[in-house]
Amino acid sequence: MDPFQYQNSELFCEDVSVSALAEEFGTPLWVYSKAKLVHEYQQIQNAFAAVDPVICYSVKANSNLSLLKVLSEQGCSFDVVSGGELYRVREAGADTTKVAFAGVGKTDDEIRFALESDILMFNVESEPELDAISRIAGEMGKVAPVALRLNPDVDGKTHEKTTTGRKGNKFGMDIERHNELADKVLADPNLELRGIHLHIGSPINTTDPYRQAAEKALSVVRELRSKGHQTNWINLGGGFGLNYKNDEAPPASVYAEVIVPIIQEAECRLALEPGRSIAGNSGILVSEVIFVKYEGGKRFVIQDAAMTDLIRPAMYDSFHKLWPVNPSVPAPEDFEVEIENCSLADIVGPVCESSDYFAKGRSFPNVNRGDLLATFSAGAYGTVMSSNYNSRPRGTEVLVDGNEYKIIRRRESYEDLVAHERV
Ligand SMILES: *Cc1c(COP(=O)(O)O)cnc(C)c1O
């Protein structure tokens, strides 16, 4: 299901013309499809239905309140990594009793806020964190639900900057410490061990790392129960793949085939924390060509969106499909090969950094000043990682629903840029 389709050389989001949106709201412009967001959530929910999963959408992938509200209305829950994200979940009107709270550096204020919100569980990443949660729960007269984050030492075979489940990175704890801390929880009346948490990294386009992680979780759960814990939850984190290029990511059902039998064997509830796979292909970033220049034997297409809007190419060398909104050449099946009637171009932003590019050496049609471009798969880790570097105001975000649309975040003004400063 792809809501972004060309009809007669015109890109649409559902039933709305993208160039009409750009005309009305200007660029850079984020365009999201409600139908796609809901569809991707439901795909996961349906794939894992046999174990009645709790899908905790990872708020860090895209935290816009309207998107959280859409997901919440579908019955989706949330995974947060900060007090700010928990605040957003509450502002979106969501039920916080199914929220998972991850992150290696939770502050006392954040822990207190989460306890006040009666969350499902803290994904605890270290002993000092466990001690802090116990102390604060004690002060508040509460019992804190925790899951210890196990570093399964599984290679997710993903980018160095996004792998999290291997020995030697900062996330979670190894099995020895996990078991020590579980003993500590058992002896602590302020804490209750609700389950185990693992998150391998992202994006993971194969199922084997999940099978390995789930099997580790199963053996740990058995051991915990033999010690007297009432452990009932396995949280396998997020990291499901996204089709950035073609069909490189397996559908949710393929992950489910591997994971569901192990969860059934463990007789546990399953929590998942997908972010990218729900939001990623629900959004595009629309930009306008400012100039085209030829230098050093190359063609540079300079657009008004930049690494300040979408940092993934600069940060992870990520590939995003990119094509004109009103193309003179039909969009190809494969964007990585040489395309007929196209020539090579670097598509870059105006920021004063060589890493400010969206595509390098890409086969691309002729475009001119004023033409609109669409960068696809921009719904996850786009706006949330944006900045005001170079004092660039962030663009408008629009949510499309059939033939209707509305602003879900207005464009920042120059006044917004200095609003928090004092002289
Ligand atoms: C980032 C993160 C996720 C979400 O990962 P996606 O690739 O967006 O699915 C889930 N859980 C934890 C703990 C994370 O840090």
Side-chain angles (χ1 to χ4, degrees), residues 42 52-53 58 61 63 117 128 159 179 216 262-263 298 303 347 354 358 378 381 398 411-412:
Q42 286 175 344
D52 188 20
S58 187
S63 58
S117 306
H159 194 280
N179 294 345
K216 287 209 175 159
I262 303 174
I263 300 301
K298 286 170 72 175
Q303 53 164 4
I347 295 131
S354 301
F358 279 19
Y381 304 106
V398 171
R411 186 174 302 286
E412 288 174 347

Side-chain angles (χ1 to χ4, degrees), residues 30 61 158-159 161-162 202-203 242 244 276 280 285 306-321 355-358 375-386:
W30 303 87
T158 184
H159 194 280
K161 287 183 186 165
T162 56
S202 173
L242 182 74
Y244 283 104
R276 185 191 311 273
L285 173 57
M307 64 187 289
T308 50
D309 304 293
L310 182 69
I311 204 174
R312 297 189 71 258
M315 195 156 161
Y316 312 117
D317 306 310
S318 305
F319 182 93
H320 283 264
K321 286 186 197 171
S355 56
D356 181 25
Y357 74 96
F358 279 19
T375 300
F376 296 88
S377 308
Y381 304 106
T383 50
V384 283
M385 296 176 96
S386 65

Side-chain angles (χ1 to χ4, degrees), residues 291-311:
F291 299 117
V292 179
K293 74 182 240 184
Y294 296 84
E295 204 60 52
K298 286 170 72 175
R299 172 167 65 126
F300 292 94
V301 175
I302 302 164
Q303 53 164 4
D304 65 359
M307 64 187 289
T308 50
D309 304 293
L310 182 69
I311 204 174

Side-chain angles (χ1 to χ4, degrees), residues 58 60 79 102 149 197 199 202 238-240 273-276 381:
S58 187
K60 79 176 194 282
D79 156 48
R149 178 167 179 176
H197 175 241
H199 171 73
S202 173
F240 292 166
E273 302 171 336
R276 185 191 311 273
Y381 304 106

Side-chain angles (χ1 to χ4, degrees), residues 316-338:
Y316 312 117
D317 306 310
S318 305
F319 182 93
H320 283 264
K321 286 186 197 171
L322 217 161
W323 207 248
V325 168
N326 302 97
S328 55
V329 176
E333 288 287 309
D334 185 348
F335 286 73
E336 288 184 289
V337 295
E338 263 193 51

Side-chain angles (χ1 to χ4, degrees), residues 74-132:
Q74 295 296 316
C76 187
S77 190
F78 300 98
D79 156 48
V80 301
V81 294
S82 70
E85 286 189 353
L86 180 55
Y87 179 79
R88 284 179 175 274
V89 167
R90 289 172 58 132
E91 284 293 296
D95 173 14
T96 54
T97 62
K98 291 278 165 59
V99 166
F101 188 0
V104 294
K106 303 176 186 75
T107 65
D108 284 13
D109 284 345
E110 289 176 320
I111 292 168
R112 213 169 283 120
F113 186 30
L115 284 167
E116 280 164 7
S117 306
D118 289 321
I119 63 164
L120 177 64
M121 54 193 158
F122 292 89
N123 298 334
V124 176
E125 308 235 5
S126 66
E127 183 162 15
E129 180 189 335
L130 190 70
D131 294 343

